[in-house]
Amino acid sequence: MKWIKTVVLMGVIALLFFACKRNTLKVSISDITQEVEVVPFGEALFALDGKDTLAAMAELSNAHPDFFKLYTYRVIQVGGLGDTLFPELMRLFLTDSLITDVKTKTDSAFSKPTELSNDLKKAFKYYSYHFPEKELPTIYTYISGFNQSVVTAENIIGISLDKYLGRNCPYYQQLNTTPQYKILNMHKDKILSDVAFAWGITEFEHADRASNLLGNMVEKGKLMYLVDAMLPDMEDSLKIGYTTQQLEWCQMNEPQMWTYLIEHEMLYTTKRMNVIRYINPAPTTSGFPLDSPGRTGVWIGWQIVRQYMKKHPEVTLPELMANYDFQQILNDSGYNPE
């Protein structure tokens, strides 16, 4: 099978071609009044320094009870207000030299917090356009000590701003558990697509519905289409976390990837490692050339769903997200890249 290496000129032509196509998801949101609330929880937390920690924490907990528990138990893992060691563990977290330095770097990187807040509000206005009956989450920003980038719970989204300080942040190079290919996406321009994708998983993904690779590809493709709908102005490379060269590689090798999956009878495999190979984040896709990116199964699933929605403009986004017949979506898409 002949794989095509990235050719910048061809990639530029392809990008110009896609840019010229009308984006049907670029709808008017001027009449959407529902607006997501963005809470700078980290600012409120660090403003407690020097106060009676337990009393101040109780006040903060009363203001944001559900998220406070999520943050202290799941994010920074210091327990809860009723735990004996909680005041001391929280004090140590707030005064730790690493954390205070990270706070300084975060304040510098997000010196205009209203920009992020406005971008999040705009993204969820698009969400409300398609799902007017759904309740919007409350979004909290904070410092986590380099824990999970985005956490979600019922009607809650949490964003660890210290996971988006930029690829050259010196602390990231010291995180032995974070590979370089993940560090490439640890910059603030990636927050919006990470939030949209994570919220899609929370609201619409049912792990038991996708039993084989094809199901996982199309399910993740549906989530990427939700990202399309919430962020219609964002470039594809930023949505999926690819470099421009990686995106061009996928565009040029789409037929070869699809043929490979069919010829090697991968579409209906239920083996966990085969699914992980094409779906999970990785520096490259095992079995494909080394210049391929990871998550190529997600990228192909995205193209399947896009083609399905293009061929069936009568299908609404809620109808798409409620459709778990992955084989039917593939069949009705007519997907067959050449």
Side-chain angles (χ1 to χ4, degrees):
M1 184 177 299
K2 186 176 180 181
W3 299 90
I4 303 173
K5 289 187 176 293
T6 301
V7 179
V8 175
L9 179 59
M10 289 180 65
V12 170
I13 293 172
L15 290 173
L16 288 173
F17 172 74
F18 285 113
C20 291
K21 294 197 298 183
R22 178 176 174 271
N23 186 353
T24 57
L25 292 174
K26 185 71 169 132
V27 296
S28 174
I29 55 174
S30 59
D31 294 333
I32 304 297
T33 57
Q34 193 175 14
E35 191 170 82
V36 74
E37 180 184 6
V38 182
V39 178
F41 182 84
E43 294 303 311
L45 181 65
F46 279 87
L48 301 180
D49 187 29
K51 299 180 180 179
D52 181 333
T53 303
L54 193 57
M57 286 293 167
E59 186 176 338
L60 188 59
S61 174
N62 290 334
H64 309 284
D66 293 334
F67 179 74
F68 188 88
K69 290 180 181 178
L70 178 70
Y71 182 75
T72 61
Y73 279 103
R74 179 173 161 190
V75 178
I76 61 173
Q77 300 177 16
V78 296
L81 283 169
D83 296 333
T84 304
L85 295 178
F86 176 81
E88 178 62 13
L89 292 175
M90 182 58 78
R91 185 191 68 79
L92 290 173
F93 176 78
L94 294 175
T95 58
D96 182 271
S97 59
L98 170 64
I99 297 299
T100 55
D101 187 55
V102 168
K103 174 69 165 57
T104 300
K105 286 180 168 55
T106 303
D107 289 344
S108 176
F110 295 91
S111 58
K112 298 179 180 179
T114 55
E115 290 184 357
L116 174 59
S117 177
N118 289 338
D119 287 343
L120 288 165
K121 289 177 180 180
K122 183 178 179 181
F124 276 91
K125 279 184 179 290
Y126 279 111
Y127 180 80
S128 290
Y129 174 91
H130 296 284
F131 301 95
E133 77 291 348
K134 280 189 172 288
E135 183 179 351
L136 293 182
T138 300
I139 302 177
Y140 296 85
T141 61
Y142 51 84
I143 289 173
S144 68
F146 305 118
N147 282 299
Q148 192 172 344
S149 301
V150 178
V151 296
T152 59
E154 185 176 359
N155 298 323
I156 288 174
I157 297 175
I159 304 171
S160 298
L161 296 181
D162 50 328
K163 291 293 292 289
Y164 296 98
L165 295 179
R167 298 163 178 164
N168 297 321
C169 176
Y171 284 122
Y172 296 162
Q173 306 303 325
Q174 301 169 22
L175 298 174
N176 296 329
T177 57
T178 306
Q180 194 64 35
Y181 72 89
K182 288 189 176 181
I183 292 175
L184 291 175
N185 281 307
M186 292 169 68
H187 56 90
K188 61 183 179 180
D189 290 338
K190 196 67 181 66
I191 292 177
L192 295 178
S193 57
D194 282 357
V195 167
F197 193 82
W199 189 241
I201 291 175
T202 301
E203 290 290 282
F204 303 108
E205 186 175 69
H206 297 280
D208 58 329
R209 302 287 185 94
S211 60
N212 54 31
L213 177 59
L214 174 64
N216 278 273
M217 289 167 60
V218 175
E219 182 162 62
K220 294 298 188 293
K222 287 167 53 181
L223 296 177
M224 288 304 303
Y225 194 81
L226 176 67
V227 176
D228 281 339
M230 292 179 66
L231 301 166
D233 296 315
M234 181 176 284
E235 58 268 31
D236 285 357
S237 58
L238 200 51
K239 289 175 187 173
I240 196 167
Y242 285 171
T243 64
T244 301
Q245 292 74 23
Q246 288 174 327
L247 182 64
E248 290 169 357
W249 189 94
C250 286
Q251 290 168 341
M252 289 184 289
N253 289 281
E254 187 175 0
Q256 290 88 334
M257 288 191 289
W258 186 242
T259 299
Y260 180 97
L261 293 177
I262 293 173
E263 289 182 348
H264 288 76
E265 300 181 345
M266 285 292 180
L267 289 182
Y268 302 104
T269 180
T270 57
K271 293 182 178 179
R272 181 173 176 271
M273 292 310 298
N274 283 339
V275 173
I276 288 174
R277 172 179 167 188
Y278 297 102
I279 298 297
N280 285 19
T284 188
T285 297
S286 176
F288 287 176
L290 289 178
D291 48 351
S292 68
R295 301 178 73 216
T296 49
V298 176
W299 189 85
I300 294 172
W302 189 15
Q303 308 320 304
I304 292 171
V305 173
R306 280 177 162 178
Q307 188 158 321
Y308 170 78
M309 294 300 283
K310 182 180 179 181
K311 288 192 68 173
H312 299 277
E314 76 282 0
V315 176
T316 66
L317 184 57
E319 289 171 341
L320 170 68
M321 301 311 292
N323 186 353
Y324 294 95
D325 189 338
F326 307 120
Q327 184 67 56
Q328 176 256 320
I329 291 175
L330 172 63
N331 293 345
D332 290 354
S333 73
Y335 181 77
N336 187 28
E338 297 179 351

